[in-house]
Each structure stands twice: as structure tokens, then as C-alpha cells.
DNA sequence: TCTGTTAAAATTGATATGCAATCTGCACCT
DNA sequence: AGGTGCAGATTGCATATCAATTTTAACAGA
């Protein structure tokens, strides 16, 4: 689509994923309009796109902010990822051609190098990338898009915490997963996926436990709504 | 959210789901602006929301149309639904309280009456409703929203074909599914979910086989792009 | 009658501007 | 320090305008 608002939303998405725009950051309409040299109307459209995607939260008369997921949301997102990837894994196992397995192994290889070079930025990217490749091989664009959206939201989570992952362990999981799937051990593969994501979430837990800072507005909403 | 564009997009969504607006229908900006007594800008925002949801397709300089899913898309949507519900089922089995099972059975009861009264409209609605309740019981709003979006898109599919479902059979599946889950027979429950959705898609096959009518523009796009 | 061309009208995508409602920040007062 | 009130900034929406593109209609020719 050749829409200006679409381009802008994609650019801002990239900025958010690359931790240039951090959760909670205000996205002023006029500021963005100046930055992209477009009218406020176009910026609003871009912000709406972003909010539909979950990366941005719009508050009436207050404006748009980069979303700040709660811990609960993090768990839900990884649960959703687990379910999607378990389903895809079951479909792929036994049905994927040699070229598919090769692509997965190649991806693990790439990440292996990134980890060895201690390139955390790249390791991170390739880490998510593996899961994306896995889903892409299912050849189901609907699932692919849902999954991609979830991955974008995990990027939000990563910029919310300064967690240090056990990249080596997570990477090892990827390799084992491929083996299990190729051998048709679906149940074990699915269990591994669940544990894998569970480990990632645990990595978040370290410094972002229950709730970092509570939004007063949200905390009081239930009381305000039933005031006399 | 108190946005006007949000309200409008929800109203149009209802109209599409209720088959008042059919796939392929043109959604003129000015027309909608007149209908809702708002400016074109607000209508554009609503249309963007709808297109992000997949119910509406926007074509540059041509406008917005109610989406017309292909058969392939239908299969992909039901595959996605299958995966989501299989995952939710596995989580629910053994973990859901008595109240949860009761709610599910109650829902089947309601649909049973609707089918007896030959109220197809209501049967349809409750049919999707059962799946929504199932997912709601997972208490995962992320999965819930993804699932709800898929359900909306299945409504699109239903208005695209004049299929007559075997409501009785589908309803029976729901009852059996509850039994299987309550007994902890996860694998069988998951298989039933897959077969259930497969049967629904087969119902669509009857009169909407490969492609109803091909969009010339789309059909020729690959040739036009590489013309001399 | 059918086909192809051309001109007019309609539609979209985007901008600019104005305005009411609301929120924010800050000086001010107790 | 802590509450009050106002000025300025921001959002949400309306209207008006314009270029680009598409659609429609009229028209001419085979």
C-alpha cells in the first residue's frame, strides 16, 4: 500500500523495535508531523495503525504513547507465542522438506556466530528471527501475521527490562527443536517450545517483577466509575 | 476509547458480521461521512481500523471495500483457529473449575434450543459463540483478541457462501469436546477440534470452490509489473 | 451494435486552518 | 509545603481546498 500513514507507522514500528522509542514515550502529533513533514491528519492515521497493532496506546485528549506492557501481558504474549509455535511445529513435523530443515539449521548457524562474537543486538534479532522462520515455513500468512505482531510486542518487553539472557541455552534449544521435529517427536518438541518461552519470561522477571509503577488513572478507574 | 472513529469502525464491523455489508461492497468515504454525520477524516480513520482488522481492504486511489477472502484464506483462518483452540484446550483440560464446564455446557444448551427452533441466524451466532467462550475461559486477553479477530473474519466467509451447515453435527462436537476435556483426553480433544473446523471449511467448499470471480487487476499484476 | 477515444465528474490522498474541549505547567496564594 | 486558578499547549473534529487518479458518460468510427 502506498499510503503515507502506512509508511510512517512502519518507520515508527522499527524505531520502537530497535529501542529508539521506549515504552511510555509520548508521541506528539505535531512533533511527528514536523519530523515526517506531513499533516497532523496523516500522523493520526499512523498512530491509529500503531495502536491497532498494540505498540502504541492512545488516551483520549492525552495523546499517544509507546505501549508499556504489564508483566501479566508479557506472560500472555509468550503463552500465545507458545500456542502458535506448538501448533506450527506439529504441522511442520514430518511434512517439511529437506530445504526447510536446512533453512532452519542455517539460521541457527548464523545466530551461533553472533553469540560467539558477543553481538547481543544481532543475537537478539536472530533469536526472534528463528521463530519467525519456523512460522513462515508453515506457509500460512494469517498465522504468520499474528505471530509477527506478537514478536513485535516482545521487542517492547525487551526494551522494558535490562535482562541478560542465556543466549547460549536459548540457542541450544533451537537446535534441539529442529532435531526433535525432524524425528517426528512432536510432543517433546512442543514441551521444549513451552519451556523455551517460559525461560525467556523468567529472564524478564529478574528486574521487572510484578508491577514497576502503577498508573494512578488505571488504578482508580474502578472507583471513579461508580462514584456518587 | 471515546474516539468517534473507533465507534464507527465497531458499528461497521457489526454490519459486516451481520451480513448487512457484503464482501466486495464499496465503502465510499463521503457516503459514510454523511451517514454518520462526521468528516471524511474520521471515516478514513475508521476505515484504517477496519483494514488493520482484515475486514476491509483499501486500494490506493480506489477506496475501501469489504474484504473478499479467497478460499485459501478461509483455510488459513480455520487452521489458525484450530491451532489457537487446540492450545487453549490443552491449557483448560484439568485446570478449569466446575463453573467453567457449567458455562460451556450452558452454552451448548442454548444452541441446542436455537437449532431445534430452526433459528439459523441464532445457531450461527451461538456456534461461533461457543468457541469464543472456550477461549475466554483461558483468561488470556491476547489470545482472546486474536481469536475474536479470526471469528470476525469467519463471519466474512459465511456471507460469501450460501452454505448449509450440519448444525446438529457441529453442535454434537461441542458437547463431546467438553466431555473429552473434562476427562483430560487432550489429544482426542485436539483431534476433534481439527476435524470440527475441517468440517466447517468443507461446508464452504460446496459452492465456492477455487475462485468465484478473479480480480483482473490482481490476475495481471505479475505481467504488468515486468512489461517493457 | 460493438468498440475505442476523449472529456467531464467523482473519488481519493493529503494539506491547511479554525475551534471547542481538555490537559499541563506554572505562577500565585494560603 | 500544598492547593488554586489561569494561560498555553494538545487533542479531536469540522471545513475548505487541491492535485492525482479513477470512473462515468458522451461520442465517433467500424
Amino acid at each position: 500500500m502506498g499510503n503515507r500513514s502506512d509508511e510512517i507507522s512502519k518507520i515508527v514500528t522499527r524505531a520502537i523495535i530497535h529501542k529508539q522509542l521506549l515504552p511510555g514515550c509520548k508521541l506528539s502529533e505535531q512533533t511527528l508531523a514536523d519530523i515526517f513533514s506531513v499533516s497532523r491528519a496523516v500522523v493520526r492515521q499512523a498512530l491509529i495503525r500503531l495502536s491497532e497493532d498494540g505498540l502504541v496506546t492512545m488516551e483520549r485528549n492525552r495523546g499517544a504513547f509507546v505501549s508499556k506492557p504489564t508483566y501479566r501481558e508479557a506472560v500472555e504474549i509468550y503463552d500465545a507465542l507458545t500456542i502458535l509455535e506448538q501448533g506450527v511445529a506439529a504441522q511442520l513435523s514430518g511434512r517439511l522438506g529437506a530445504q526447510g530443515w536446512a533453512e532452519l539449521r542455517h539460521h541457527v548457524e548464523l545466530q551461533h556466530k553472533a553469540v560467539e562474537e558477543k553481538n547481543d543486538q544481532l543475537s537478539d534479532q536472530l533469536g526472534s528471527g528463528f521463530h519467525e522462520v519456523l512460522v513462515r515455513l508453515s506457509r500460512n500468512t494469517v498465522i504468520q501475521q499474528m505471530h509477527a505482531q506478537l514478536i513485535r510486542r516482545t521487542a517492547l518487553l525487551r526494551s522494558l527490562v535490562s535482562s541478560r539472557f542465556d543466549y547460549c541455552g536459548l540457542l541450544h534449544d533451537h537446535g534441539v527443536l529442529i532435531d526433535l521435529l525432524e524425528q517426528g517427536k512432536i510432543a517433546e518438541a512442543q514441551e521444549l517450545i513451552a519451556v523455551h518461552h517460559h525461560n525467556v519470561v523468567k529472564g524478564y522477571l529478574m528486574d521487572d517483577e510484578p508491577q514497576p509503577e502503577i498508573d494512578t488513572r488505571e488504578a482508580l478507574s474502578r472507583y471513579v466509575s461508580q462514584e456518587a
Side-chain angles (χ1 to χ4, degrees), chain A:
Chain A
M1 209 187 306
N3 285 336
R4 197 80 187 82
S5 66
D6 197 48
E7 292 175 28
I8 291 175
S9 69
K10 284 188 168 64
I11 292 172
V12 175
T13 294
R14 237 174 297 154
I16 293 174
I17 289 176
H18 294 155
K19 307 189 190 182
Q20 299 302 311
L21 289 172
L22 297 176
C25 175
K26 174 77 185 286
L27 299 172
S28 153
E29 295 188 359
Q30 192 59 56
T31 305
L32 289 175
D34 292 342
I35 290 173
F36 292 105
S37 300
V38 293
S39 65
R40 265 180 61 210
V42 171
V43 170
R44 275 187 80 74
Q45 292 167 20
L47 290 174
I48 286 175
R49 288 196 146 89
L50 289 163
S51 74
E52 292 286 317
D53 204 44
L55 292 185
V56 158
T57 303
M58 296 181 81
E59 294 179 35
R60 168 135 189 133
N61 284 324
R62 288 202 0 102
F65 306 82
V66 178
S67 293
K68 209 160 142 185
T70 62
Y71 176 69
R72 180 186 174 82
E73 233 172 310
V75 173
E76 292 191 359
I77 288 172
Y78 275 99
D79 264 10
L81 276 173
T82 299
I83 286 178
L84 279 187
E85 293 181 15
Q86 282 179 336
V88 167
Q91 285 192 350
L92 253 44
S93 183
R95 235 158 296 178
L96 187 59
Q99 195 179 341
W101 300 118
E103 184 172 356
L104 284 172
R105 286 194 204 286
H106 174 66
H107 204 278
V108 170
E109 199 67 31
L110 285 180
Q111 202 187 346
H112 203 71
K113 282 177 189 161
V115 171
E116 273 184 355
E117 295 169 8
K118 297 207 189 300
N119 187 340
D120 279 14
Q121 163 94 31
L122 188 60
S123 300
D124 230 48
Q125 200 178 314
L126 290 171
S128 300
F130 174 82
H131 298 260
E132 280 184 328
V133 171
L134 189 77
V135 173
R136 177 155 48 75
L137 291 172
S138 77
R139 302 212 150 277
N140 181 321
T141 59
V142 172
I143 294 177
Q144 217 175 298
Q145 279 167 24
M146 291 195 311
H147 184 265
Q149 188 188 340
L150 290 174
I151 291 289
R152 285 194 289 275
R153 293 175 75 175
T154 64
L156 259 191
L157 299 174
R158 275 194 295 282
S159 58
L160 204 52
V161 298
S162 61
S163 51
R164 300 209 120 273
F165 291 117
D166 173 14
Y167 285 117
C168 193
L170 294 178
L171 180 53
H172 180 255
D173 287 349
H174 291 175
V176 174
L177 180 63
I178 299 176
D179 292 337
L180 288 175
L181 288 178
E182 207 168 10
Q183 293 163 28
K185 297 178 179 170
I186 295 181
E188 288 172 66
Q190 288 183 331
E191 181 56 24
L192 178 60
I193 290 171
V195 172
H196 180 82
H197 285 143
H198 187 70
N199 284 336
V200 175
V201 176
K202 263 206 314 198
Y204 291 157
L205 258 170
M206 303 168 82
D207 54 307
D208 177 23
E209 264 152 349
Q211 241 115 316
E213 50 189 88
I214 306 157
D215 181 3
T216 317
R217 186 183 307 273
E218 190 178 328
L220 294 179
S221 63
R222 75 183 68 178
Y223 300 97
V224 183
S225 63
Q226 49 189 262
E227 73 181 337

